[in-house]
């Protein structure tokens, strides 16, 4: 697996999109901290960028790379190599390369302008989103052989988790506003990795007062170290479950 991982990693690191991703994050991060002057405002502004860009680039880039590597994957499958080894090597290569770009483009500005606990939580949340959406990308690519449909499915997943899910959540909260919705809201936040990352970072920034009673309840749960640990476990499930389903489909696929 290490030899496969080394080949995949070196191949991806030469990709211009990975380099552009690191440069884009570095320029945006440096610019936001320079403009705001306040590290807390800079982190809050950077959070919105990370929640949009990181999942989108991770899922689209991983989906396209998997389809473009399909002939190489077929060649490897004809060799005495376990299929799960091939798939996990692809996942590890994609994840490590994107995390290197993320740490370079986002981690260095955070270390320079805001070396705080909140910055570390933001960086870890971005890493979790990267790993989760690469898992979803491999699952999308293995649900259909057609490249256009696979990319379309990945875009649809990103659109759903980024925009549609929040609209759906707001409709439910508005419809049942006369009932206690705190527990339901927490469960629904856990069902969306982007919302989970957003709430955990916002709770660390201690601006829950702007979110009313629900924000105070979330602050009481997710603002503590136990809450961050629980959110980490949920994010881990978002990484493992799609990857496990993808590995099962790849094992049964007729290549």
């Amino acid at each position: 697996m290490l030899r496969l991982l080394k080949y995949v990693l070196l191949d991806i690191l030469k990709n211009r999109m990975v380099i552009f991703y690191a440069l884009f994050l570095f320029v945006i991060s440096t610019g936001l901290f320079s403009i705001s002057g306040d590290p807390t405002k800079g982190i809050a502004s950077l959070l919105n960028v990370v929640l949009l860009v990181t999942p989108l680039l991770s899922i689209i880039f991983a989906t396209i790379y998997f389809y473009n590597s399909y002939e190489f994957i077929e060649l490897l499958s004809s060799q005495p190599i376990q299929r799960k080894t091939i798939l996990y090597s692809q996942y590890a290569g994609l994840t490590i390369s994107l995390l290197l770009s993320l740490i370079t483009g986002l981690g260095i500005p955070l270390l320079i302008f805001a070396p705080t606990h909140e910055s570390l939580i933001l960086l870890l949340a971005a890493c979790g989103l990267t790993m989760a959406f690469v898992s979803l990308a491999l699952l999308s690519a293995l649900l259909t052989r057609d490249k256009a449909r696979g990319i379309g499915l990945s875009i649809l997943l990103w659109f759903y988790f980024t925009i549609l899910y929040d609209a759906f959540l707001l409709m439910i909260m508005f419809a049942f506003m006369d009932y206690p919705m705190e527990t339901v809201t927490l469960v629904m936040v856990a069902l969306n990795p982007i919302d989970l990352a957003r709430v955990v970072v916002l709770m660390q920034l201690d601006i829950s007062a702007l979110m009313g009673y629900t924000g105070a309840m979330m602050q009481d749960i997710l603002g503590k170290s136990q809450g961050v640990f629980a959110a980490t476990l949920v994010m881990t499930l978002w990484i493992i479950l799609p990857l496990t389903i993808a590995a099962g489909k790849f094992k049964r696929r007729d290549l």
Side-chain angles (χ1 to χ4, degrees):
M1 180 171 176
L2 290 178
R3 292 181 64 184
L4 280 179
L5 172 60
K6 181 181 177 182
Y7 177 83
V8 174
L9 189 58
L10 291 176
D11 184 47
I12 297 174
L13 288 177
K14 291 185 291 185
N15 193 297
R16 292 180 181 177
M17 184 56 70
V18 176
I19 300 171
F20 172 78
Y21 179 46
L23 289 175
F24 173 79
L25 287 176
F26 187 84
V27 171
I28 290 293
S29 305
T30 305
L32 287 175
F33 280 117
S34 300
I35 292 172
S36 65
D38 183 350
T40 302
K41 290 182 180 178
I43 294 173
S45 301
L46 200 52
L47 173 64
N48 294 322
V49 177
V50 167
L51 293 178
L52 282 174
V53 175
T54 298
L56 177 63
L57 190 133
S58 299
I59 196 168
I60 296 300
F61 178 77
T63 305
I64 293 175
Y65 182 81
F66 186 84
Y67 278 111
N68 290 342
S69 306
Y70 206 77
E71 292 183 356
F72 177 64
I73 292 172
E74 287 180 329
L75 176 63
L76 290 176
S77 300
S78 65
Q79 305 299 317
I81 304 174
Q82 291 187 351
R83 288 198 175 186
K84 66 178 182 182
T85 302
I86 299 172
L87 187 70
Y88 291 154
S89 299
Q90 292 278 320
Y91 175 79
L94 284 164
T95 302
I96 292 173
S97 59
L98 289 174
L99 288 181
L100 286 175
S101 296
L102 188 68
I103 292 171
T104 304
L106 182 65
I108 293 176
L110 285 174
L111 182 64
I112 295 174
F113 294 101
T116 61
H117 171 73
E118 292 80 5
S119 296
L120 179 61
I121 296 296
L122 173 62
L123 185 60
L124 292 177
C127 291
L129 286 176
T130 299
M131 298 173 73
F133 276 82
V134 171
S135 293
L136 290 170
L138 295 185
L139 178 59
S140 299
L142 286 166
L143 286 175
T144 175
R145 291 178 181 271
D146 186 76
K147 183 177 180 179
R149 289 183 180 179
I151 295 173
L153 180 59
S154 293
I155 294 174
L156 187 62
L157 282 173
W158 173 81
F159 189 71
Y160 169 75
F161 285 122
T162 306
I163 298 174
L164 290 183
Y165 191 88
D166 284 345
F168 180 62
L169 179 60
L170 285 175
M171 287 175 60
I172 290 179
M173 294 185 68
F174 182 76
F176 297 96
M177 60 187 303
D178 294 331
Y179 300 93
M181 293 291 293
E182 290 79 12
T183 304
V184 176
T185 303
L186 274 175
V187 172
M188 295 193 70
V189 165
L191 294 177
N192 184 344
I194 295 179
D195 276 353
L196 185 66
R198 176 190 291 118
V199 170
V200 169
V201 175
L202 287 178
M203 292 303 102
Q204 299 303 314
L205 292 175
D206 199 21
I207 55 177
S208 60
L210 301 177
M211 301 169 66
Y213 175 72
T214 303
M217 185 202 65
M218 289 187 175
Q219 174 70 44
D220 188 50
I221 297 175
L222 296 176
K224 298 177 180 177
S225 57
Q226 297 91 333
V228 175
F229 179 71
T232 304
L233 287 180
V234 175
M235 186 64 81
T236 303
L237 290 177
W238 272 107
I239 297 168
I240 292 176
L241 287 180
L243 184 61
T244 303
I245 298 172
K249 289 189 171 296
F250 185 63
K251 185 179 179 181
R252 294 189 297 271
R253 170 164 287 193
D254 182 19
L255 295 174

